[in-house]
Amino acid sequence: VWPVKMDPSQIDQILANQYLQRTLRKQQQALTVADAEVRAHYDAHVADYIIPARRRVAMVQIRVPAGAADDVWANAMERGEQVLAKARKLGPAVPHFAEIAREYSEDQASRYRGGMIGWIAEGQKDRYRYDPVVLDAAMAAQKAGDFSPVLRGQDGVYVVRVVDIEPQRERPFEQLATGIHQRLLQERIADAEQAFRKDLLKRVRVQVREDELERIDPLAPPAEKQPPQPPAMPNQ
């Protein structure tokens, strides 16, 4: 027995939910993904799970204003040589620029962290905001601890140091299996719902109730009727 004050739309919603629970939701709960399917997906997409080689980088930036004269650039290059000379004396126990970055660098995000700007992945230069000469120098380093020469960039002078290098590596199947399983299951659930809706639309007769449509307030006032316009004249 339905409650006396229950709105007909509420009854429709309850019935619709019951139908969904007994049909679609029951089908979805029965869906599974076999371990072999997870492994096959990993093997087919192993290239997507490769972590590219990357370098951890530190830098010192000496800014040069746009349109600066040659003597301004020369002074900045001289200061860059001072940075490089001092940095070479830090010794292998110091992996970055230490206090030299605080003294010279004008990159506020890194100057108080020894010039550290983080990891830069190979082949992904467009992801980073740094001057191209910084990225190129980081990729050219042969080993951790290497310094670049003093570099003239687009907006200043740079000295770059590679702190660490990690080679390209694959993420192991054991690390990704749970996530792949969940992804495949969610895709299967979504496919089941889409197929259910298509089948339901085929079996249900759709009726447009014009009287109900007329009661709906328009979202905007009707457009004013415009007099017919003559066709455009052809180009001469």
Side-chain angles (χ1 to χ4, degrees):
V1 179
W2 298 109
V4 176
K5 295 184 179 181
M6 183 170 286
D7 187 90
S9 63
Q10 293 177 298
I11 297 175
D12 290 343
Q13 186 62 50
I14 291 173
L15 292 174
N17 288 337
Q18 287 291 324
Y19 179 72
L20 282 175
Q21 291 297 330
R22 294 176 182 177
T23 54
L24 175 61
R25 302 303 177 223
K26 189 174 181 180
Q27 295 173 19
Q28 290 175 323
Q29 290 171 3
L31 294 173
T32 61
V33 176
D35 292 344
E37 294 178 275
V38 176
R39 182 72 209 200
H41 180 89
Y42 174 84
D43 291 340
H45 299 85
V46 67
D48 297 336
Y49 304 124
I50 291 176
I51 300 175
R54 60 179 188 166
R55 282 116 188 279
R56 198 176 184 196
V57 179
M59 74 175 187
V60 170
Q61 178 196 47
I62 300 169
R63 292 187 183 276
V64 176
D70 290 344
D71 61 328
V72 177
W73 278 103
N75 180 263
M77 293 292 289
E78 182 179 344
R79 295 191 69 203
E81 294 292 350
Q82 294 173 11
V83 169
L84 184 57
K86 289 184 177 183
R88 291 187 187 280
K89 296 178 182 179
L90 289 172
V94 181
H96 40 64
F97 287 99
E99 295 301 316
I100 298 172
R102 180 178 295 186
E103 180 182 356
Y104 286 88
S105 185
E106 296 176 84
D107 180 64
Q108 297 302 317
S110 65
R111 66 178 298 190
Y112 298 105
R113 298 188 291 126
M116 297 289 293
I117 62 175
W119 291 96
I120 294 176
E122 291 185 5
Q124 300 180 16
K125 291 173 62 173
D126 293 343
R127 294 180 52 191
Y128 304 102
R129 65 175 179 85
Y130 305 109
D131 193 293
V133 299
V134 173
L135 303 177
D136 290 341
M139 293 302 118
Q142 298 298 310
K143 63 183 185 301
D146 282 357
F147 293 98
S148 73
V150 179
L151 304 167
R152 176 167 174 166
Q154 297 175 348
D155 56 358
V157 169
Y158 295 88
V159 181
V160 176
R161 187 178 193 184
V162 171
V163 176
D164 197 8
I165 298 176
E166 286 188 354
Q168 175 180 293
R169 55 195 172 91
E170 294 180 4
R171 297 180 66 187
F173 171 74
E174 292 74 19
Q175 184 183 91
L176 300 170
T178 300
I180 295 174
H181 180 278
Q182 188 65 22
R183 175 184 174 182
L184 295 178
L185 183 59
Q186 291 300 322
E187 290 177 354
R188 198 156 292 180
I189 289 173
D191 290 343
E193 181 162 352
Q194 186 176 14
F196 174 84
R197 292 179 181 277
K198 287 183 178 180
D199 180 67
L200 194 62
L201 288 174
K202 289 180 181 179
R203 295 187 287 111
V204 173
R205 180 181 177 185
V206 178
Q207 180 181 7
V208 178
R209 299 177 61 179
E210 299 290 347
D211 55 333
E212 293 295 334
L213 288 176
E214 291 178 357
R215 296 182 184 181
I216 300 175
D217 294 330
L219 298 177
E224 296 182 1
K225 293 184 178 181
Q226 300 292 333
Q229 299 295 320
M233 294 293 292
N235 295 327
Q236 297 296 328

